Amino acid sequence: MLQVFQLIEIALPLAYLAIFALYVRRFVARKDRGDQRFWGSPLLYGTLGTHALYLALRGVELNHFPVSSKGEFLSLLALAIGLIYALTERRHGEPNTGAFFVGLAAVAQTWSSLIIDPNTAHPLLHEHPIYGVHVIFILSGFVSLAISAIYALMYVLLARQLKSRELGALFRRLPPLNTLENMSRLATLAGIVLLGLGLFSGHFVAIYVLDDFSLLDPKIVITYVAWAAYAVAFIWAKLRKLSGLRMGYLSLGGYLALIASMVLVNTFFSSFHTFQ
Amino acid sequence: MTSPNRLTLISFSHRNATLAERDALAMSAADIAALVPLCRQRWLSEAAVLSTCNRTEIYLYGPTPRTLWEELAPEVARLRGMELAALPAPMIAFDDAAARHAFRVAASLESLALGENQILAQVKDVHDQVLANPAKSPVLDRLFQFAIRVGKQVRTETALCEGAVSISSAAVDLASKIFGDFNQREIVLVGAGETAEAAAMHFEKSGGTRFVVLNRSEERGRLLADQFKGTYRPLEELEDAIVSAEVAVFATGSPDYLLTHAALKSVMKARKRRPLFLIDISNPRNVDPEVARFDSVFLYNIDDLEHVVAANLATRKDEIPAAEAIIEQMLDQWRAWQQSMAVTPTIASLARYFEDVCTQEIDRHNKRISEQERVMLEEFSRGLVKKLLHNPISYLRTSVANNTLRSEDLNLVLSLYNLQNNDENPDEP
């Protein structure tokens, strides 16, 4: 089985890079070939399916959730980026932004394949099933919010081009503002749900597995505050039907604030919560 | 002495005729129906006519004389009710130059508005006209098939026909980049003149269904609203109308601003700062330029739209070399097809000649052989002829493919078997 894993570890970066090339070709094409079938999307879905199967089998074979080493974590990150992007692409039928996200997934998976090692020693906690679910949800939640922020950034850039009447490459290549806004909104919703599930499953793990768990752990407090802020802002915007450039700035600002707070907490507070 | 078959083009367009002359030369379906049989009768030529608001072109294939236009001009003048002297001098081209011109026309490189799409449909109409003619026109049929292929390929593989090149279509393109589609989007038309109507037509063509017309004159406003199945509101209700709209087109003759910064402030608050696209194609302007300061307001006036159009036209011009490359590729294929046409009848005559010889010989012995023996002899002779003809036919086809076919070769084949006398239409290599 380990030989099969090694083959997949070689094949996955190649597949992501090939799909990335297809998305780039579509993005930079002089002409929008809307009537022609785009093969990047089905290939991406197939690769994501294979990738998910590989990580699941790896977990079963090595008897731990595949988050015990940097290599495994990067591979899971690549899968999460690909899956969340695929969700937004399928929902809106708009593959023109794929180059950005598939490119990130290709980088993460290539890096993972270069450093991944099957003989990873791992703590007992990593064999706990709910712990794995917790990590997957949290990671996917952060990835979703990052994707949402990237869409918000695209929205802001395109809107500014339109307002300044300087219609450059972004005007020709990016999807309409309305689509970008909807994609950002969908990724935010996915992020809030996944992060929420991650937080609750994390509680479960902490209460039953850890002896020194405290709800006042700064990382937990900050993550809860950030999650609640996102959720409240999202519901408020939805109820008041807010949209436009200000929502783009708000989405971008929210994500930057989340990242800044996580960096601060990780820098200044040491707690139980690391990926070691 | 008979002239060789050749493709001839006689063209009147914006390049060599004034608008009045083009109008006078534009041929109706009845004119075309009269001219095509005449060409076939007088010059034994296949004929087709492309007649649009911007060009009248006559394509002929046959043994046409050098003085064709001198002979044809009186007929054209008569059909169009013009004085012979009033006819402008046409652009005349032959063979490859004529085919290249047909391809350029289909690609929209010869159009007044570079990259316009309508011409391809008009070329398709000419092809239909060729096919509908009871007298067969195999060469022109193939010429227009090639032209249509060029037109489609240029539109698929280059950006020659991309980007709006009129003020109204540029406005619709910009609105599409903001809202995606116009399904359930409200489009407010301020003014009910020709400009507003043209804008509404473009929005309707792009999927717009919900129109609100505001105009000082209720009668004209209602007329335009009815035309696009919209609603009419008095001009005084402009601010209310904009609250629920996504796009507002201003096209009135008002000398003052109809929408000011102060007025839009309350509108934007009421619409919760949803994006609003304001298109001001009035002269003087109807929308205060200050309103562009609102985050979610995208304001384009006629100058801005003209810049967009100019940029799109420049982009189209950049695509000309790519389109010309496609045309040259297709011209190579056209030449190859024409050359294959040169040997196909010869090969057919050769095969027919050998088959006739076989049939005659078998018939001569018919009384002395049984039915079974006859079938056997027929099979034998077919096999023998096939083998005997294999090398000469291969030689002819390879010569065409390699572009090395000489007229002497064809003449030799025809002379060896005396095929000139058997065949009514020997071909020109």
Side-chain angles (χ1 to χ4, degrees), chain B residues 3 40 91 178 211 242 249 262 304 309 356 365 371 377 383:
Chain B
S3 306
R40 187 167 288 270
M91 187 274 274
I178 298 170
F211 293 94
I242 291 179
V249 182
D304 302 326
V309 167
D356 288 349
H365 297 92
E371 184 57 33
L377 271 176

Side-chain angles (χ1 to χ4, degrees), chain B residues 39-228:
Chain B
C39 293
R40 187 167 288 270
Q41 209 179 0
R42 281 271 288 274
W43 298 286
L44 304 172
S45 292
E46 299 175 20
V49 180
L50 169 66
S51 187
T52 72
C53 55
N54 204 33
R55 65 180 62 247
T56 295
E57 295 187 332
I58 305 166
Y59 291 86
L60 298 134
Y61 180 78
T64 46
R66 283 261 163 207
T67 53
L68 173 70
W69 175 240
E70 284 72 36
E71 295 174 35
L72 184 60
E75 302 298 339
V76 171
R78 183 181 56 79
L79 275 172
R80 296 303 307 138
M82 294 170 75
E83 290 290 325
L84 188 59
L87 285 176
M91 187 274 274
I92 301 177
F94 300 98
D95 301 321
D96 276 4
R100 184 183 280 111
H101 180 87
F103 298 169
R104 287 180 66 86
V105 167
S108 185
L109 285 174
E110 291 291 320
S111 296
L112 194 56
L114 179 70
E116 56 105 357
N117 276 313
Q118 217 181 348
I119 189 67
L120 185 56
Q122 289 160 335
V123 171
K124 283 178 183 168
D125 288 345
V126 178
H127 185 229
D128 290 344
Q129 177 201 120
V130 168
L131 294 178
N133 196 328
K136 295 230 178 299
S137 303
V139 176
L140 290 188
D141 170 17
R142 192 53 79 101
L143 175 77
F144 286 104
Q145 279 182 35
F146 272 99
I148 292 164
R149 270 170 62 192
V150 168
K152 283 181 180 169
Q153 208 173 326
V154 163
R155 281 161 180 81
T156 325
E157 293 178 14
T158 74
L160 185 80
C161 304
E162 291 220 326
V165 287
S166 74
I167 297 291
S168 296
S169 55
V172 173
D173 266 13
L174 287 163
S176 303
K177 208 64 193 179
I178 298 170
F179 302 109
D181 61 66
F182 301 111
N183 185 29
Q184 297 307 310
R185 308 273 184 203
E186 202 165 285
I187 298 153
V188 166
L189 303 165
V190 187
E194 279 176 17
T195 314
E197 187 185 349
M201 276 166 68
H202 276 94
F203 275 107
E204 192 183 43
K205 227 159 98 182
S206 303
T209 52
R210 294 176 61 200
F211 293 94
V212 178
V213 180
L214 292 97
N215 196 43
R216 277 195 211 288
S217 151
E218 186 175 340
E219 193 190 342
R220 283 184 67 179
R222 283 198 187 281
L223 211 63
L224 188 65
D226 290 345
Q227 190 182 336
F228 294 97

Side-chain angles (χ1 to χ4, degrees), chain B residues 292-427:
Chain B
R293 282 168 49 197
F294 288 105
D295 273 347
S296 294
V297 171
F298 302 92
L299 169 66
Y300 279 72
N301 61 34
I302 199 153
D303 283 350
D304 302 326
L305 292 171
E306 270 170 2
H307 281 134
V308 172
V309 167
N312 287 342
L313 269 174
T315 308
R316 285 187 177 194
K317 279 180 186 155
D318 290 344
E319 293 294 307
I320 290 175
E324 284 176 336
I326 290 172
I327 288 170
E328 289 309 312
Q329 278 173 15
M330 205 58 83
L331 206 58
D332 286 344
Q333 291 183 33
W334 163 254
R335 284 189 201 110
W337 178 80
Q338 277 213 307
Q339 282 173 339
S340 77
M341 276 287 288
V343 293
T344 302
T346 305
I347 290 171
S349 301
L350 203 57
R352 207 163 39 237
Y353 170 78
F354 273 73
E355 275 168 24
D356 288 349
V357 169
C358 288
T359 312
Q360 281 163 21
E361 285 306 302
I362 292 170
D363 286 349
R364 208 154 61 84
H365 297 92
N366 206 15
K367 285 179 184 165
R368 282 179 285 162
I369 56 174
S370 67
E371 184 57 33
Q372 198 182 358
E373 284 168 333
R374 184 188 167 88
V375 170
M376 206 176 70
L377 271 176
E378 276 175 353
E379 268 177 34
F380 168 78
S381 63
R382 261 200 299 275
L384 188 66
V385 164
K386 207 171 165 186
K387 280 196 169 61
L388 287 172
L389 284 178
H390 180 264
N391 278 349
I393 291 175
S394 289
Y395 173 79
L396 290 174
R397 288 203 168 128
T398 314
S399 303
V400 166
N402 296 340
N403 211 7
T404 53
L405 182 72
R406 296 170 305 173
S407 57
E408 296 91 318
D409 295 342
L410 270 185
N411 288 336
L412 180 66
V413 172
L414 295 168
S415 306
L416 276 174
Y417 299 104
N418 198 21
L419 297 177
Q420 287 105 326
N421 297 337
N422 295 343
D423 206 328
E424 286 178 7
N425 294 312
D427 294 83

